[in-house]
């Protein structure tokens, strides 16, 4: 039944709720977010509501995954709107700890996941995946859900989380959910709110150019050539800087040299700025013949 979710702000409060559900044999889903919720987040929540008896949505803008020059202070926050959106579809608990609850005085433990954090976003945002891996480990251990839901929109992050859960034997199943897009192809993102009107018109070109790169590679064009073409297209259309546009193995993120072998599952990954807004996206590419 749609209603306002119960707001829980402490680890102890969350544990009590989840323990009570478990005593009833209920399955628990967790959807970690940083708030400013849009239909991409809500797709994750809906998936959890479908799969599980109880759903917790965490809303926490995690300071440790932002570098000092990044947008932690200005990151969009709208608690009332977020609660309305997740309540309307039936979320049980909104877990909204403050920074002191999440990082008690003297906090000094971090989780870093070597392999999948290397390259792509890990190369340009060296602090980022350690911040994400640490906070997601904490959220999983605080909640101990049966399942936790993450977007393919942040594909490298999804692989980092799958690996840490496996490596640390955290007993939760990690579920990846397809990227939700605007009709013009732009992937939904809380940061899209930063785009000026002119940049919003340009933004779908990121995905359009990536799709052309995918088509070239699927058609047998050498990966390096398609990447160079794609980067040049982005630059010509005002994306500056282009952090990366790369075709990589879809499971290991290993770079692909040469042409794509038939049947090899790969993805195109890109990150680029329009003005001050950093956009990221990724799409699958498979060469059939
Ligand atoms: P964030 O609040 O940006 O940290 O995102 C929280 C979760 O929502 C992450 O698992 C993201 O991958 C996921 N997410 C963000 N945007 C989208 C989208 N457009 N489609 C699907 N999932 C998304």
């Amino acid at each position: 039944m749609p209603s306002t979710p119960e707001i829980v702000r402490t680890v102890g409060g969350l544990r009590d709720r989840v323990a009570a559900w478990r005593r009833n044999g209920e399955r628990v889903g967790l959807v970690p977010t940083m708030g400013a919720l849009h239909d991409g987040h809500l797709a994750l929540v809906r998936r959890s509501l479908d799969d599980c008896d109880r759903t917790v949505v965490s809303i926490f803008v995690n300071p440790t995954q932002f570098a000092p020059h990044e947008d932690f202070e200005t990151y969009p926050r709208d608690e009332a709107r977020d609660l309305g959106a997740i309540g309307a579809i039936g979320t049980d608990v909104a877990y909204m700890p403050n920074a002191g609850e999440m990082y008690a005085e003297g906090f000094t433990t971090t989780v870093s996941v070597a392999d999948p954090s290397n390259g792509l976003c890990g190369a340009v945002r060296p602090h980022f995946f350690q911040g994400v891996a640490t906070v997601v480990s904490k959220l999983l251990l605080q909640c101990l859900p049966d399942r936790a839901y993450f977007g393919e929109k942040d594909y490298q992050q999804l692989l980092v989380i799958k690996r840490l859960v496996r490596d640390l034997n955290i007993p939760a199943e990690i579920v990846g959910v397809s990227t939700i897009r605007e009709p013009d192809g732009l992937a939904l993102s809380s940061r899209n709110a930063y785009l000026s009107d002119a940049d919003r018109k340009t933004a779908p070109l990121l995905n359009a150019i990536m799709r052309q790169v995918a088509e070239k590679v699927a058609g047998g064009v050498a990966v390096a050539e398609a990447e160079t073409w794609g980067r040049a297209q982005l630059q010509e259309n005002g994306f500056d800087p282009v952090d990366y546009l790369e075709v990589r193995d879809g499971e290991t993120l290993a770079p692909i040299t040469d042409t794509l072998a038939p049947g090899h599952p790969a993805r195109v990954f890109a990150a680029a700025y329009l003005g001050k807004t950093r956009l990221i996206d990724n799409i699958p590419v498979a060469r059939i013949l």
Side-chain angles (χ1 to χ4, degrees), residues 12 21-22 28 44 129 163 208 237 240 285:
W21 296 336
R22 287 213 175 285
V28 180
L44 273 54
F129 284 121
R163 184 69 71 89
N237 284 287
D240 180 33
V285 40

Side-chain angles (χ1 to χ4, degrees), residues 181-196:
R181 301 178 181 280
E182 301 281 7
D184 61 15
L186 177 66
L188 298 192
S189 164
S190 304
R191 289 189 169 101
N192 291 351
Y194 299 154
L195 291 167
S196 68

Side-chain angles (χ1 to χ4, degrees), residues 32-34 38 40-41 44 75 150-151 153-154 178-180 188:
T33 82
M34 298 206 299
H38 50 63
H41 297 112
L44 273 54
Y75 194 84
F150 296 86
K153 155 83 170 30
D154 302 286
S178 309
T179 303
I180 306 296
L188 298 192

Side-chain angles (χ1 to χ4, degrees), residues 113-123 129 156 160 248 252-253:
V113 184
D115 253 15
S117 303
N118 293 332
L120 304 176
C121 281
F129 284 121
Q156 188 177 13
V160 165
R248 295 211 172 195
T252 64
L253 298 186

Side-chain angles (χ1 to χ4, degrees), residues 22 26-30 52 143-148 171-174:
R22 287 213 175 285
E26 293 178 310
R27 284 174 62 80
V28 180
L30 171 68
C52 303
C143 183
L144 290 176
D146 295 280
R147 290 184 162 190
E173 183 187 345
I174 303 303

